Amino acid sequence: MRDASKNYLMRAARIAPGGVNSPVRAWRAVGGDPIFVVRGEGARIWDVDGNTYVDYVSAWGPLIAGHAPPGVVSSVVEATRCGTGFGAPSPREVDLAEQIQLAFPSIEKLRLVTSGTEATMTALRIARAATRRERVIKFDGCYHGHSDGLLVRAGSGAATFGIPDSAGVPTAVGGLTSVVPFNDLAALRASLAADPPPAAVILEPIAANMGVVAPEPGFLEGVVRACHEVGALVVFDEVITGFRVARGGAQELYGITADLTCLGKIIGGGLPVGAVGGRADLLDLLAPSGPVYQAGTLAGNPIACTAGIETLKLLVPDAYRRLEETSAALEAGLRAAIADVGACACVQRVGSLLTLFFGVDRVRDFSDARACDAGAFARFFRAMIDRGVNLPPSQFEAWFVSLAHEPADVDATIAAAREALRAAEEP
Ligand SMILES: Cc1ncc(COP(=O)(O)O)c(C=O)c1O
């Protein structure tokens, strides 16, 4: 019974486009009406009708410690008592920045912003200023937020809604972005060699917005080498992977470094924070040190920084061991269920990021992802929500496992998936 959610959707649809404030939340790709969520605790959420679900959306990634971790909540409440923002430097910005810097050796300096979109937008502005070049290269199906120049062949919601090239992006701006297939070094080399010379290559080192697609061995090293050979900068968008696949993100996991790194999600612990960091000479191009303008009324907000600092405190080495254990158990259970049911599907996982793809046995780039059976995913999604499991409502997204997911949650998810896989088989 989801009547109260339906009522809210009716009210919302009168005032908000599609009834939502971010497109994928509308469940258009999977059918049905979205649930309106009132509460989260640990691995669970509750909707306005009182139904409860095991949650793998995890606010789209920030909630690596689960919903409302007590230490984070109490520190945020405490911080709020001192004021919600000052528009002046405050100590928590420094504390959070230092924690980030300790985790990412490639980040000598950083600027805090309020979203991942701002982080990637700013990174490219810095790269263009540093190289005095304008063209950038991105990978097909990678999503870097919704700024004009990056909504070209974009993944995530843009892919979900079949508009990877958004309307409203000026041709002149979109034309400064070249796109090559993920995991394809030859295509990247060809684009790097083309005119005009590129300022930067931006990528999700582990693609997570076309579903989860790991970089093939040698791919990331090849990207860095090829870029540097032609004087282009390497921008790793670690908005999802930062502090998730390891404390130091994909850079730690694969032992590689970027010139510029974009962060978001986990570093705000569920509140709005993003960051762009990297080589000091590049970051010093930002105003007031240098000529690249960037600013933010709420940048470094003390409440958001507090949530980030407290979340990062929970990410001790043992936390990553636990995340791996839980996620591996989920992957193994899903694979067994797929085999038992005889479903045509595969599971791809890196750490606590996982996608179950329908209709294919492997995805290495966006054209493979687009060949998936999105209809089967939609049926699977609806069967899962009816069984109390809340998945990201699109084939092109990652499931986010958190520290709050217990073995019992994983078992319940696998049992539900076994039934839902059968439902997905029947169009
Ligand atoms: C890899 C990546 N980069 C950038 C963004 C944009 O972040 P935000 O939604 O905070 O603007 C996202 C959002 O999902 C993302 O997944």
Side-chain angles (χ1 to χ4, degrees), residues 31-177:
D33 295 333
I35 52 170
F36 277 65
V37 181
V38 278
R39 188 163 83 84
E41 190 184 325
R44 293 197 158 260
I45 52 167
W46 282 259
D47 67 17
V48 281
D49 290 284
N51 303 308
T52 178
Y53 309 87
V54 179
D55 181 36
Y56 291 98
V57 175
S58 303
W60 297 97
L63 304 185
I64 194 163
H67 291 270
V72 176
V73 171
S74 59
S75 299
V76 163
V77 170
E78 194 58 33
T80 308
R81 290 205 177 93
C82 299
T84 53
F86 312 114
S90 71
R92 284 169 215 262
E93 302 167 52
V94 186
D95 294 339
L96 178 59
E98 284 175 352
Q99 286 306 309
I100 293 171
Q101 188 190 45
L102 276 174
F104 283 81
S106 69
I107 296 184
E108 294 169 351
K109 283 196 172 178
L110 68 88
R111 171 149 295 173
L112 293 175
V113 294
T114 36
S115 68
T117 296
E118 280 179 82
T120 56
M121 199 173 75
T122 305
L124 293 190
R125 191 173 299 154
I126 294 171
R128 284 174 163 138
T131 58
R132 295 191 159 79
R133 299 174 179 179
E134 293 197 340
R135 185 167 68 94
V136 297
I137 301 175
K138 76 177 282 288
F139 288 90
D140 198 12
C142 281
Y143 178 68
H144 304 293
H146 62 95
S147 68
D148 280 351
L150 287 168
L151 271 185
V152 181
R153 308 288 299 164
S156 190
T160 302
F161 293 105
I163 40 174
D165 300 294
S166 169
V169 171
T171 313
V173 177
L176 293 174
T177 306

Side-chain angles (χ1 to χ4, degrees), residues 10 110 121 157 167 225 409 415:
M10 264 163 46
L110 68 88
M121 199 173 75
R225 206 176 314 115
D409 298 313

